[in-house]
Amino acid sequence: MTTIKATAAQSIALERRRLTDRAALVRGRVEATPGCNLLPKIANVENRLRLMQFAVAKTLLDEIDDTLDGLRRKAAESELAQAIRQQDELLAERGVETFEVGAVRARDGWQWLTSRKPARLSAVQIATGDRYAALHASAHRDGLSTSANDNAGGGDLTVQQVMAAAELRHAQRQVLAAVHAHIAGATGSDRLAGLLEAICGRGATPRQLAGNDDRRAAAVEVELRLALDMASVAFKMAPRMGEAA
């Protein structure tokens, strides 16, 4: 078999094309991120490419990508914090303790998982999953039945009560969406957020998600623990340095 090797000129042209294409993609990200102040840096990259300083150009592109990823994470965290504040304010207005847990959760996959002995999850992971489960259950209850159950005084529901219930559910769904965005932004994938939704939200078991394969179910549990750790940060429930989990 004959092996055809690229000439030095061809290798240089190939590397320039590869980095030029990457620089174009990164420029698009920079231009789509107002206030990032990275246009001078991407212009420097393009100048380095013209001078064939490929190693320097690659280092600069890596730095720009890291900065943009950091800005995206900060934006997701800011949106999450705002959504949680809105949720807490609405609950406080209704005289409900913020994120009251356990009132509407049936026996399901999440409850089964937390009841296993010895414990497979940390206290923070369990509290995080409970918070997510309670939010999900409340956010997806039927609007009229929810208002009727909460109408302790009896009688017909008022328009204000129905609207208040709808407003509260909307805020709860915003919080859930922000948690998903936080996890997806940190991992670059929706998989872990999807596991959190399936197990803590819909009540699936790891074994169901793994197609009744015990080995794969164990791997699903490991992934769920990662998702819970990320959600605990999003909910600001993660323990501080030096504190027990």
Side-chain angles (χ1 to χ4, degrees):
M1 180 181 294
T2 303
T3 301
I4 300 176
K5 294 184 178 181
T7 65
Q10 288 172 330
S11 296
I12 290 172
L14 184 62
E15 182 67 0
R16 173 184 275 177
R17 171 56 65 86
R18 186 179 67 81
L19 288 172
T20 298
D21 289 346
R22 182 185 171 192
L25 291 173
V26 174
R27 172 176 275 280
R29 291 185 66 197
V30 168
E31 291 174 347
T33 309
C36 67
N37 298 320
L38 290 172
L39 282 174
K41 199 163 188 176
I42 194 68
N44 188 16
V45 169
E46 292 163 349
N47 186 49
R48 297 290 182 173
L49 289 175
R50 283 191 289 271
L51 296 173
M52 293 193 295
Q53 297 175 347
F54 300 144
V56 176
K58 182 181 181 303
T59 298
L60 290 171
L61 286 171
D62 289 343
E63 291 174 357
I64 294 171
D65 273 334
D66 288 343
T67 300
L68 290 171
D69 288 342
L71 290 172
R72 184 179 64 175
R73 283 193 296 271
K74 287 180 180 179
E77 289 169 0
S78 176
E79 291 175 4
L80 173 65
Q82 182 180 1
I84 290 176
R85 281 196 301 272
Q86 291 173 347
Q87 158 77 4
D88 291 348
E89 289 168 2
L90 282 168
L91 285 171
E93 288 174 7
R94 315 281 183 271
V96 179
E97 184 179 352
T98 302
F99 290 110
E100 184 177 306
V101 171
V104 289
R105 213 180 59 198
R107 175 164 291 278
D108 55 23
W110 169 245
Q111 197 170 41
W112 171 85
L113 189 59
T114 58
S115 69
R116 305 303 296 165
K117 302 294 182 184
R120 303 188 187 190
L121 304 170
S122 71
V124 172
Q125 288 170 338
I126 292 172
T128 300
D130 278 345
R131 186 170 184 174
Y132 186 98
L135 265 176
H136 187 278
S138 181
H140 290 83
R141 281 189 295 182
D142 175 72
L144 292 178
S145 63
T146 298
S147 299
N149 291 336
D150 294 340
N151 187 21
D156 294 334
L157 296 172
T158 66
V159 173
Q160 289 81 3
Q161 286 173 320
V162 174
M163 291 180 65
E167 186 181 6
L168 179 57
R169 288 195 307 280
H170 176 70
Q172 289 167 333
R173 288 171 182 169
Q174 280 188 312
V175 174
L176 293 174
V179 171
H180 282 217
H182 175 86
I183 296 173
T187 62
S189 167
D190 292 329
R191 176 170 174 76
L192 294 186
L195 283 179
L196 197 66
E197 166 80 11
I199 295 174
C200 298
R202 299 197 303 272
T205 66
R207 201 165 187 274
Q208 286 173 330
L209 296 177
N212 295 323
D213 183 312
D214 290 336
R215 186 172 58 84
R216 289 175 57 198
V220 169
E221 281 193 38
V222 171
E223 290 183 304
L224 176 65
R225 288 196 287 271
L226 291 174
L228 288 167
D229 287 340
M230 292 180 185
S232 72
V233 173
F235 281 137
K236 302 190 185 303
M237 297 173 68
R240 295 178 182 176
M241 189 70 68
E243 293 180 347

